[in-house]
Each structure stands twice: as structure tokens, then as C-alpha cells.
Amino acid sequence: MPIDAAKAVAAEPRSAEIAWDHKDIQLYHLGLGAGVPATDPDELRYTLESRLHVLPSFATVAGAGMGMMGGLSAPGIEVNLAAVLHGGQTITLHRPIPVKGSATATSKVAAVYDKGKAAVLVLRSEVADGEGPLWTSDAQIFVRGEGGFGGDRGPSARVPAPDGEPDRTVERPVREDQALLYRLSGDWNPLHADPEFAKLAGFERPILHGLCTYGMTLKAVVDTMLDGDVSRVRGYSTRFTGVVFPGETLRIRMWRTEGRIQATVTAVERDDAPVLADTVVEHA
């Protein structure tokens, strides 16, 4: 079988040294659409090195996302990348990410679940520097056609729907060139840039990176519900439910509950087609 669950989970973790500085942070933020208006003091926190803070979702691109790619090449994992879907993403922050840093990223397959028609790999990356742990990132990867091996189905990722109308609703435009800029942070999949490749994959045109939508949503939550303070974020999780095309508009609905904010994200131009669900930002 292409996936040997026991072998994959038992494999020794892989480690790599990663580093970043203000240029990586600024490029990532610009890829999320930061900097509009360019002179807005709230936006300068994302774009000007003398005022810079780090949006916690930067963890998904630090080291060019080595945790995910390392997990897909782990012992016991042999899959067709065309059958792979990024199903969900979770980040746990142990402390704020510094503007400049170097760290050790250790990646492993934390779990393999049997969903019947698909297998789900939980690819975990734990990052620490000389002062201790920085963040833990879990990517939930669906591999179509690899289920049915009799394994544990795993926990449900569904989050109970919040009650009542959202506390805040904002709309965030996706620029036509946004995927081209975001991919400079390390995801070079031609699905997000090459129209011919996108058609072969079944899309009318290139789609936006799911992790770009993920970052845009966190920025909206921080800016509108957490007073612009990235250090308040303790954890962030979502489930990917649909695609976004460059040029569309995201509608982000937010509900405040005790110690966390729930959100849903839809594509305005496609009758509020679902994009992100079960989205939760844990905060101080």
C-alpha cells in the first residue's frame, strides 16, 4: 500500500535549520494584500521595517513550508501529488514570532487517519530557537483513494456554529496579481500561476493559495477584533472548503466568544460560496 501508517508515524522526525528577516516578513504580508492604503499607520505595521510586527500565520511559510513537504516524503508515504488536498491547518503560538530569527524546525507525520475513501495525514512541524519553542504547525492533508485500510477515523474537525448574527463582517478584495506575489514566499505550484496547468487540474484559471486566504483571514481578525495586536493570538485553525480566484472578494464573518473568535469565509461574487469553515482564533 502506498501509505504505511505505522511506518510513517514511527519514523524519526526530520530537522532543518530555518532563518528569516524583515524582508521575508514584509514579502509575506504584501502577498496577503497588506499595505492598502500604503500610508495607513495600521498597514505600516505590516510593511515598514521600523514598525514591523509578524502576523502569526507567517509560520506556514517560514522555511518555505518545509514541514509539509518533508512530511509528504517521509518513510511509509508514497502518494500521487495529484491526489493530495490541503484539508486544514492549525498553528499554536508559544510566543510571538520575532522579526528576525533562526530556528530548528522538526517535522514528522503525527497521525494517519482512515476516512474510507481517503487517508488524512497530520503533518506536524515544531519550531524552536535558542530561547525555546516558537510555534507548532499541523497541516491536515487529504490523500484521495488511500483510505479503507482499517485505521482510526480520527477526531472530527467540525466546530459548532456560533449563535446569532456575526459581531463583525468585513470584505477583503483579492488582487488579480495576488497569487503571483504570494507564491514568492515559497509555494511555487504552477496551479496558482499557469493558466494551462490550472485547466489540466480542472480549474478555469489559476486559483489563490489556500494558505493565502488563511493569512488574509487572520489579518482581518487581528485588525478588526484584536486591536491590531498580533501578540494576542495563541492559536489559529481552519478547514479549507472551497477555492478563491484572484480578483474575487472575500467576505469574512466574525463572532466573538470567550477567549476566541470564530469566523467563516466566503467568495462574494459566487453567491457566498464557502471558502474557509470551522475557523477559530484563540486569543489572550
Side-chain angles (χ1 to χ4, degrees):
M1 189 181 80
I3 296 179
D4 184 330
K7 185 177 181 180
V9 173
E12 287 294 317
R14 300 180 177 188
S15 294
E17 298 303 312
I18 62 173
W20 63 92
D21 63 18
H22 69 89
K23 297 186 295 297
D24 303 298
I25 303 298
Q26 289 163 297
L27 180 62
Y28 173 70
H29 290 162
L30 290 170
L32 301 181
V36 181
T39 57
D40 185 334
D42 291 339
E43 293 300 314
L44 290 173
R45 295 176 301 188
Y46 296 100
T47 59
L48 184 62
E49 55 272 18
S50 61
R51 305 185 189 180
L52 204 58
H53 65 192
V54 183
L55 197 66
S57 53
F58 174 73
T60 61
V61 302
M66 59 80 60
M68 184 181 300
M69 296 312 298
L72 289 175
S73 61
I77 305 295
E78 183 180 341
V79 298
N80 178 1
L81 292 180
V84 169
L85 296 171
H86 195 167
Q89 182 69 45
T90 299
I91 298 171
T92 301
L93 278 299
H94 305 300
R95 51 193 166 90
I97 301 173
V99 171
K100 181 177 181 179
S102 59
T104 300
T106 303
S107 63
K108 64 179 180 179
V109 178
V112 180
Y113 297 126
D114 185 352
K115 298 295 186 180
K117 294 183 179 180
V120 174
L121 310 176
V122 179
L123 308 183
R124 178 165 298 161
S125 181
E126 297 178 303
V127 176
D129 64 9
E131 298 181 16
L134 276 169
W135 70 80
T136 300
S137 175
D138 279 0
Q140 293 86 43
I141 305 298
F142 277 77
V143 187
R144 292 171 293 183
E146 296 297 338
F149 54 87
D152 180 5
R153 283 192 58 85
S156 172
R158 301 300 173 90
V159 176
D163 295 325
E165 293 297 311
D167 294 296
R168 291 291 301 274
T169 299
V170 299
E171 293 185 359
R172 293 292 184 264
V174 180
R175 298 194 314 271
E176 288 283 351
D177 64 347
Q178 194 153 335
L180 302 178
L181 182 57
Y182 181 85
R183 69 196 300 263
L184 300 181
S185 287
D187 187 338
W188 298 99
N189 189 334
L191 176 63
H192 307 294
D194 184 343
E196 295 304 318
F197 188 93
K199 289 178 182 178
L200 290 174
F203 297 103
E204 62 185 63
R205 53 195 169 98
I207 64 174
L208 189 67
H209 305 69
L211 285 177
C212 183
T213 304
Y214 180 77
M216 291 179 69
T217 299
L218 182 60
K219 182 178 183 297
V221 170
V222 168
D223 290 347
T224 61
M225 301 287 277
L226 297 179
D227 304 315
D229 187 353
V230 296
S231 69
R232 293 180 63 187
V233 178
R234 295 292 182 264
Y236 178 36
S237 61
T238 199
R239 184 169 57 88
F240 299 107
T241 56
V243 301
V244 175
F245 293 98
E248 292 187 330
T249 306
L250 301 179
R251 180 172 286 139
I252 304 168
R253 298 176 173 89
M254 294 168 273
W255 292 261
R256 187 187 298 276
T257 58
E258 185 65 31
R260 68 183 195 169
I261 294 159
Q262 288 184 235
T264 62
V265 182
T266 58
V268 172
E269 290 81 0
R270 285 181 286 121
D271 298 322
D272 274 333
V275 175
L276 299 183
D278 302 324
T279 304
V280 175
V281 177
E282 306 281 351
H283 66 86

